[in-house]
Amino acid sequence: EPEVTQTPSHQVTQMGQEVILRCVPISNHLYFYWYRQILGQKVEFLVSFYNNEISEKSEIFDDQFSVERPDGSNFTLKIRSTKLEDSAMYFCASSESPGYYGYTFGSGTRLTVV
Amino acid sequence: TQLLEQSPQFLSIQEGENLTVYCNSSSVFSSLQWYRQEPGEGPVLLVTVVTGGEVKKLKRLTFQFGDARKDSSLHITAAQTGDTGLYLCALSGGAGNNRKLIWGLGTSLAVNP
């Protein structure tokens, strides 16, 4: 069964450092998303991406965050200068249609900022 | 802002028991998705319900969408230890090319042998 692949599975970084989280969505999917989940809290929407541009972003997705689809297969989330409160599980998801009938999620990247 | 509340937050039962978990919205929604998440993994889609009053079955799992489209339930018959996990409901918000998901906090289910 096709799956969404995320790397790395764990990342520990120092506060203020840049991190890039990588995702390979399912090949025929056109809609891409990043979500995060802080331990014990709800899953939160960060950003949606379609046709090589951001469709919507949440309040969390400030100037420190950016997304790219550099080569038609990878979908990356960059955090320019990490803060302690960025520590969370980050999930990439993709869907064939605009998410109405469900998404496929990756296994996530656990980001720890120290 | 549309909110999703799930209950109970935690549930611990013995293998073989039946259970029902609930998902309620502060307003009407057009579709709702149920996911199951295991520790350290991403959510896995179980079902999408779109029609008021709809009932969908997935083996021992029965999903119901309320007539008023403001609530949904998941019933598990004869629970097994493999059913242990976090059950999340999410509704699809936004429009056009964005269908971001708005999530509940989940019901953490532990099925004991």
Side-chain angles (χ1 to χ4, degrees):
Chain A
E1 189 170 326
E3 56 182 32
V4 174
T5 305
Q6 287 189 245
T7 55
S9 56
H10 294 89
Q11 173 103 40
V12 180
T13 188
Q14 290 205 323
M15 195 167 54
Q17 295 295 303
E18 174 182 286
V19 294
I20 298 176
L21 310 183
R22 292 185 166 79
C23 169
V24 179
I26 292 173
S27 60
N28 65 333
H29 285 187
L30 302 175
Y31 300 85
F32 313 112
Y33 308 83
W34 283 99
Y35 288 82
R36 78 172 186 190
Q37 187 177 32
I38 295 171
L39 190 62
Q41 297 185 22
K42 292 184 181 183
V43 178
E44 300 173 291
F45 168 76
L46 292 178
V47 66
S48 58
F49 192 87
Y50 169 74
N51 201 25
N52 287 319
E53 61 181 21
I54 290 174
S55 304
E56 184 174 345
K57 56 186 180 180
S58 71
E59 292 173 357
I60 303 166
F61 195 90
D62 61 21
D63 291 345
Q64 294 301 312
F65 290 84
S66 62
V67 289
E68 249 191 345
R69 189 156 160 80
D71 56 13
S73 62
N74 291 285
F75 180 49
T76 62
L77 174 69
K78 183 193 291 186
I79 310 175
R80 257 179 279 282
S81 177
T82 50
K83 308 188 210 43
L84 294 176
E85 54 266 35
D86 294 328
S87 295
M89 281 288 284
Y90 287 80
F91 294 108
C92 172
S94 70
S95 66
E96 196 172 351
S97 62
Y100 190 76
Y101 292 105
Y103 300 72
T104 303
F105 282 81
S107 295
T109 294
R110 178 172 298 282
L111 176 66
T112 304
V113 183
V114 297
Chain B
T1 303
Q2 194 156 23
L3 295 175
L4 275 182
E5 298 294 331
Q6 290 190 247
S7 61
Q9 193 173 345
F10 300 98
L11 188 56
S12 180
I13 61 169
Q14 295 301 119
E15 201 167 23
E17 290 183 5
N18 301 332
L19 66 114
T20 302
V21 300
Y22 301 92
C23 176
N24 293 285
S25 169
S26 55
S27 53
V28 174
F29 48 88
S30 55
S31 74
L32 182 126
Q33 301 167 21
W34 283 94
Y35 290 81
R36 180 165 166 266
Q37 185 181 24
E38 296 195 40
E41 296 291 326
V44 175
L45 179 69
L46 297 173
V47 78
T48 301
V49 286
V50 298
T51 306
E54 182 177 7
V55 176
K56 282 192 175 177
K57 289 188 183 245
L58 190 67
K59 297 182 183 176
R60 292 175 295 100
L61 277 59
T62 301
F63 303 85
Q64 187 154 13
F65 196 12
D67 291 336
R69 304 164 73 104
K70 292 178 70 175
D71 59 278
S72 181
S73 63
L74 158 59
H75 180 80
I76 302 179
T77 304
Q80 300 174 356
T81 55
D83 295 326
T84 294
L86 180 67
Y87 288 84
L88 295 161
C89 65
L91 62 85
S92 182
N97 292 327
N98 166 54
R99 292 283 180 177
K100 66 181 181 185
L101 289 177
I102 298 164
W103 298 81
L105 192 53
T107 292
S108 180
L109 172 64
V111 182
N112 306 302

